[in-house]
Amino acid sequence: MIDPLNAWWAQQLVLCGWAFDPEPLSAPPETAQARLALLDVRERGELGWRLAEACMPGQGEALRQLQALELLALSGAVGWLDAPRAHAWAEWVAADIQAHHASLDAWLTALRHERGQIDWTQDDDGFLEACEALSQLEREAAGVTWEALAEWLSDRPRQLPWPIDQNSGVWRLRAVFAPVLTATCDAHLDWPEVERWLADVWRIDGRDELIRMLLWLGGQGHRYTWDLDAARLTSQDGSIRRQWWESLGDAHDYGHMMLTFLDSGEPLEWAAWDWLRLADLAYAGWNAGWLDAQEAEAFAAHAGDLLMRRYRDWTAVAKAYQRGRSLFEGGDRRADFARDWDVLLRSRSSPWQVTLEALLNDTQREASRQTIRGWRAPAWHWVLALAAMREPDLLYRQGIDRAPDTQQRDEARRYLRDTLGLEPSMGTAGLASLWLPGQVHHLNQLAADAAHGALPAAKTPFGHAMSEAVRLRNGLKHCTRHAATIFMAEKYAFYLMMCADSGDYDRRELETLAESLRGVLSRFYSGPKALIEAWAAWEAALPEAEEPSLVAEIRWHRDDPGSPFHWLDWHHATWLEPGERLSLPRFTALALVGPLNAPVWSAPGPEVGSEREELREWLDSHYGLLSAEALKEFLDFLIEAGDRQEYQINYAPYTLNAARLREEVAIIESGECSEDDRNHLLRLRRVENNASGCNEYDMAAWDVAQAVDLAIAGRQMDWLSAVEFDTLVERAAHLAQSHYASWYDYARGLYAGFSFFMGETDERETFLQGFGEALTAWLTAAPPLAGGWASLDFPGAPARHWAPLHIDTLPGDARTLH
């Protein structure tokens, strides 16, 4: 039985100079290959373009359709398309021709009209002879008539013949580069020089680097920098914008294009530039043999998923891509829009005739999402995502990890040593001191108190807190609903990244810490939006000194559907923090050190290397302590008697006999003074003048603060075990509780003791002023991270703070919500 399509198709090939043969695919492969080369169709991508152009309305349409029929016959003959696919395409083109030409005469008239508008291999006489031959074939019924074909086509469902098998429909996305004709790939036919292209254009030389780039395009891409620049410049005047442009150096063409968009009111959206290239790169990886079909289609489907979330239709996609291309190339491509996109947007045979919303079904989208989550499932991706907020280039390292280069190792080692004081000999145990749950508790408590107007007064006995610091502190009320763990954890993630880059730490142990970090954040935040909102709130409230705010960067990750934060594995298996979570009473006891030391946000542990040597020198030079035994003995002394006893025995009696005090001062002044006599004289004068309230305030706080300070140093020297350290700070807390009722009382005693027992120095007034300012900061939490007193109840004092709205607080507080 005659095949109506084959017969009609063979008849039309007569117009192309072919001898009539009822089987259109019967041309010898060598002849067909030569003919394709003559028509400048050397791979399937170009064939895809010709088929997409075939049904483009306008000038030359009939000739394009005829040429498509010839290209299909040639492609089928050489095996570029299998017979069913070639026939499906021929049927589509035939139906389109029939739909737009009422008869054979109308079809031939259209071809004659367009004859001079396109290069053809026949001369005019040959073409006219071919038209006569076609008419003769119809008259002789050597095949099928125009009317018979129309009747046959009317009974056939019309389906656009682009690949739709499984997920292969996603390759419609690649049509902007070259339409994909088949559900399988053959690099020889589809992309003969794909590996050279990957190396030259993308600097990609293997599977691992390819996957990292695919994840980067999906998760960050060029749009990240462009979006941030656009957001910052939108609110700036012309002079600021020009300064920005002038600062770009070699990127001034990009800057000019960005300013052009801003000045013309162009929509500031270009994510399609990244996501369409993601699909193209996935196809390249498949052709190169670095991805299997399922992997490549999953990445392409991810691109489609992101596009479907962001854009309403293909036109919006195309315009966004054109803007991105303009920025990337530094030249305005908007005027080229019709030339570049008309075929895809207007041709009846375009792969984009399927609507964008129909590109993927729910099953395909969910499968692609699971694949992307799988790539980002390791806990180390949390470290990358968090650390990349301050170092965006870290997102080039998603996917399959790679060893750091020499420069990265050296920079990481320098940072760990010089900034954090970490030595490789400490191992990952040294990172415990960088996990700061005490700081988190402090910030959460301040936020709760700020929201209820329960923060301390800005005025203290030692002065008034700085207005800017008070403003920052009061602004914490905006953070009350957001747990502060992210404020500390994002820095901790960066420290983990630096440890990994240094190459000096056990990677398995670092990954265990990363798993703990994921568990903590998954517990305190219900999902990426909650975490990012919290991060933005705390970043806005507590910006880094002399560093630009990261709020815009953080919110970009909230709003961009491709951001890695939306694809992390959000779960916690067991509750195990990367470092110790202090109890609230213990944290309070450590805070008794006050301004004598930096705020202690975590339990101290043994130090090594240079940090330990510096501690040893300090203990020797300030206290003459050279051993664990000497330290323990001195700590017992401080807690049991301390400097307060010396005051009570040697100086307090003079407060009852002013005449005797004056005589003692005169006697010492009249003779030669030893160093001890000189110090005694200075203290007598302070008693005489009641310097800093030394005769009014209990100075036991001075002994307590010193005891805690030295206990911390002893623990860091490993002269005290963890149990011994806990016992000592607990004894110090009991001493403070027995002498004072509040942090204000304690601060007065500490200031008086600091003043009274200070040695002779020309900088006394400067030291006193600085210590007073530090006490003010600790009492007022202005600035918020000065110290922990404002967020803590004094040991033994009644509770006065509001409970935070979340559980991110230290244990031991009976008012913690669960």
Side-chain angles (χ1 to χ4, degrees):
M1 182 176 181
I2 189 172
D3 181 331
L5 177 65
N6 269 9
W8 183 87
W9 186 4
Q11 289 171 188
Q12 309 315 301
L13 292 177
V14 170
L15 295 173
C16 302
W18 291 39
F20 178 74
D21 185 330
E23 177 47 63
L25 306 183
S26 62
E30 298 81 3
T31 303
Q33 190 76 54
R35 176 66 174 159
L36 285 168
L38 184 65
L39 296 174
D40 201 24
V41 179
R42 303 176 188 277
E43 38 83 18
R44 282 197 296 210
E46 179 60 28
L47 174 63
W49 270 122
R50 300 292 181 91
L51 295 179
E53 292 169 346
C55 301
M56 178 70 182
Q59 190 177 28
E61 177 182 358
L63 285 176
R64 285 194 300 273
Q65 292 169 325
L66 179 60
Q67 189 178 67
L69 290 172
E70 181 179 20
L71 290 173
L72 288 167
L74 295 170
S75 300
V78 298
W80 287 14
L81 298 176
D82 60 26
R85 179 66 60 189
H87 280 80
W89 265 109
E91 182 179 327
W92 173 272
V93 175
D96 197 68
I97 291 172
Q98 288 273 336
H100 291 84
H101 301 90
S103 64
L104 175 64
D105 287 342
W107 167 237
L108 294 175
T109 299
L111 287 171
R112 291 190 186 98
H113 177 72
E114 296 172 2
R115 177 66 187 83
Q117 301 165 9
I118 185 172
D119 288 339
W120 204 246
T121 57
Q122 299 168 277
D123 57 30
D124 289 342
D125 290 341
F127 180 68
L128 293 174
E129 290 175 3
C131 290
E132 288 297 325
L134 176 58
S135 299
Q136 182 67 24
L137 287 169
E138 278 226 328
R139 286 194 297 274
E140 295 176 356
V144 63
T145 64
W146 184 272
E147 293 76 12
L149 178 68
E151 183 178 354
W152 181 80
L153 288 172
S154 67
D155 295 331
R156 307 272 297 175
R158 194 176 185 200
Q159 296 181 343
L160 196 57
W162 295 98
I164 56 173
D165 303 350
Q166 298 178 349
N167 279 355
S168 59
V170 302
W171 296 123
R172 296 174 191 272
L173 293 173
R174 196 184 172 258
V176 61
F177 308 100
V180 177
L181 281 167
T182 65
T184 59
C185 80
D186 181 330
H188 177 70
L189 297 179
D190 295 311
W191 208 330
E193 297 186 345
V194 63
E195 290 193 32
R196 179 184 297 177
W197 179 83
L198 285 165
D200 293 347
V201 175
W202 288 94
R203 304 293 188 266
I204 294 174
D205 57 9
R207 171 181 167 83
D208 293 358
E209 190 63 34
L210 172 70
I211 288 171
R212 285 191 284 268
M213 187 59 69
L214 289 167
L215 290 172
W216 178 79
L217 282 170
Q220 185 184 54
H222 288 119
R223 67 190 183 280
Y224 175 77
T225 300
W226 299 346
D227 287 347
L228 293 174
D229 283 346
R232 289 171 181 141
L233 291 168
T234 296
S235 59
Q236 302 297 330
D237 60 27
S239 63
I240 298 298
R241 291 181 180 183
R242 183 167 185 82
Q243 290 175 17
W244 170 81
W245 176 74
E246 291 173 347
S247 72
L248 294 178
D250 293 342
H252 65 275
D253 287 345
Y254 153 71
H256 175 74
M257 201 62 247
M258 176 64 76
L259 295 180
T260 299
F261 285 164
L262 287 165
D263 293 340
S264 64
E266 185 76 15
L268 304 177
E269 210 296 316
W270 29 66
W273 168 253
D274 289 325
W275 295 334
L276 286 176
R277 290 186 305 147
L278 168 59
D280 187 41
L281 197 58
Y283 189 71
W286 185 21
N287 274 267
W290 299 343
L291 300 176
D292 62 30
Q294 186 176 4
E295 289 175 323
E297 289 167 0
F299 276 114
H302 181 51
D305 185 13
L306 297 175
L307 289 163
M308 292 167 72
R309 295 188 194 194
R310 178 65 61 90
Y311 303 106
R312 66 183 182 277
D313 55 31
W314 290 114
T315 299
V317 170
K319 288 182 177 179
Y321 180 92
Q322 200 80 343
R323 286 190 289 268
R325 181 184 173 195
S326 298
L327 290 173
F328 183 77
E329 297 177 354
D332 197 341
R333 305 296 181 215
R334 290 176 294 176
D336 301 332
F337 184 82
R339 184 195 68 189
D340 294 345
W341 297 92
D342 265 11
V343 169
L344 291 177
L345 295 175
R346 296 180 56 225
S347 173
R348 297 182 299 277
S349 54
S350 165
W352 286 10
Q353 282 296 307
V354 173
T355 62
L356 178 61
E357 66 181 8
L359 181 67
L360 299 172
N361 60 38
D362 291 343
T363 301
Q364 292 169 330
R365 293 177 77 171
E366 186 54 36
S368 75
R369 292 173 184 180
Q370 291 301 324
T371 298
I372 298 303
R373 291 190 184 104
W375 281 113
R376 293 195 169 107
W380 196 253
H381 269 254
W382 282 75
V383 173
L384 278 171
L386 293 166
M389 199 67 75
R390 298 187 184 276
E391 295 291 338
D393 285 352
L394 287 175
L395 288 188
Y396 280 112
R397 297 164 62 177
Q398 302 168 85
I400 301 172
D401 203 7
R402 63 182 177 191
D405 58 32
T406 301
Q407 181 180 353
Q408 287 172 329
R409 284 197 299 269
D410 290 344
E411 290 177 352
R413 288 167 179 167
R414 243 187 334 267
Y415 177 83
L416 293 171
R417 182 186 64 246
D418 299 343
T419 303
L420 301 181
L422 292 181
E423 299 283 350
S425 56
M426 301 169 69
T428 54
L431 288 165
S433 64
L434 302 176
W435 184 253
L436 311 176
Q439 184 185 83
V440 172
H441 176 98
H442 169 71
L443 291 175
N444 284 329
Q445 188 61 69
L446 288 182
D449 289 346
H452 291 89
L455 290 170
K459 185 177 181 180
T460 75
F462 313 100
H464 198 288
M466 295 181 294
S467 58
E468 176 61 17
V470 173
R471 185 193 67 79
L472 279 177
R473 182 201 67 174
N474 294 349
L476 297 184
K477 65 184 179 182
H478 301 297
C479 303
T480 186
R481 294 186 176 275
H482 304 292
T485 294
I486 185 60
F487 179 80
M488 172 266 294
E490 61 100 354
K491 299 176 181 64
Y492 185 81
F494 186 77
Y495 306 151
L496 288 180
M497 195 74 238
M498 291 299 98
C499 288
D501 279 358
S502 74
D504 295 332
Y505 294 81
D506 187 297
R507 182 56 185 259
R508 288 171 299 180
E509 293 179 7
L510 291 175
E511 289 176 350
T512 297
L513 292 174
E515 186 66 61
S516 296
L517 178 64
R518 166 166 59 187
V520 169
L521 295 176
S522 295
R523 183 181 190 220
F524 289 137
Y525 304 101
S526 59
K529 183 177 180 181
L531 183 146
I532 292 172
E533 290 287 3
W535 194 350
W538 283 104
E539 174 69 17
L542 297 173
E544 287 282 322
E546 301 180 0
E547 293 289 335
S549 171
L550 291 176
V551 171
E553 286 83 347
I554 294 168
R555 288 180 175 156
W556 183 91
H557 284 277
R558 176 195 64 189
D559 299 334
D560 190 275
S563 164
F565 285 94
H566 300 294
W567 303 95
L568 297 174
D569 190 7
W570 213 273
H571 79 278
H572 61 92
T574 57
W575 177 243
L576 178 63
E577 293 193 61
E580 181 181 353
R581 179 164 282 257
L582 296 166
S583 69
L584 188 55
R586 190 176 178 202
F587 178 48
T588 304
L590 289 173
L592 290 166
V593 72
L596 289 190
N597 204 330
V600 183
W601 303 116
S602 62
E607 301 279 2
V608 298
S610 59
E611 293 290 322
R612 186 162 182 163
E613 288 306 310
E614 289 176 9
L615 276 172
R616 188 188 302 276
E617 292 175 8
W618 177 76
L619 288 166
D620 183 14
S621 62
H622 284 68
Y623 291 95
L625 300 173
L626 299 173
S627 68
E629 291 72 21
L631 174 69
K632 293 173 186 177
E633 183 178 343
F634 188 64
L635 285 168
D636 284 338
F637 161 75
L638 283 174
I639 294 173
E640 298 300 330
D643 289 337
R644 66 189 182 279
Q645 186 180 70
E646 182 183 354
Y647 173 83
Q648 291 297 331
I649 294 173
N650 296 324
Y651 301 102
Y654 287 113
T655 62
L656 303 176
N657 191 333
R660 179 72 186 90
L661 173 59
R662 287 192 296 270
E663 290 174 4
E664 184 71 11
V665 169
I667 291 170
I668 297 175
E669 287 179 336
S670 65
E672 292 292 329
C673 285
S674 67
E675 184 176 352
D676 288 343
D677 288 339
R678 179 65 181 168
N679 284 331
H680 181 56
L681 176 60
L682 289 172
R683 290 173 180 175
L684 287 173
R685 286 175 175 165
R686 290 167 188 168
V687 172
E688 185 178 25
N689 298 322
N690 191 23
S692 304
C694 62
N695 302 330
E696 300 174 18
Y697 301 121
D698 183 343
M699 289 187 285
W702 173 245
D703 293 325
V704 171
Q706 286 187 97
V708 175
D709 194 24
L710 285 169
I712 292 170
R715 181 72 186 116
Q716 291 171 327
M717 288 293 294
D718 207 14
W719 288 356
L720 297 176
S721 68
V723 173
E724 289 172 324
F725 173 74
D726 288 347
T727 300
L728 281 165
V729 294
E730 185 176 354
R731 289 172 63 195
H734 283 307
L735 178 60
Q737 181 178 340
S738 66
H739 281 258
Y740 304 100
S742 69
W743 289 114
Y744 275 86
D745 293 342
Y746 182 79
R748 288 187 179 96
L750 183 55
Y751 184 81
F754 177 82
S755 171
F756 186 80
F757 292 106
M758 184 188 299
E760 184 176 10
T761 174
D762 294 337
E763 299 175 300
R764 172 180 172 79
E765 292 306 318
T766 301
F767 289 157
L768 283 175
Q769 180 181 350
F771 198 68
E773 290 171 353
L775 288 169
T776 294
W778 274 73
L779 288 167
T780 61
L785 291 175
W789 291 353
S791 67
L792 295 169
D793 294 317
F794 190 78
R800 67 170 184 83
H801 294 282
W802 289 85
L805 297 175
H806 35 72
I807 63 171
D808 190 7
T809 53
L810 296 180
D813 184 351
R815 294 170 294 109
T816 299
L817 299 181
H818 292 281

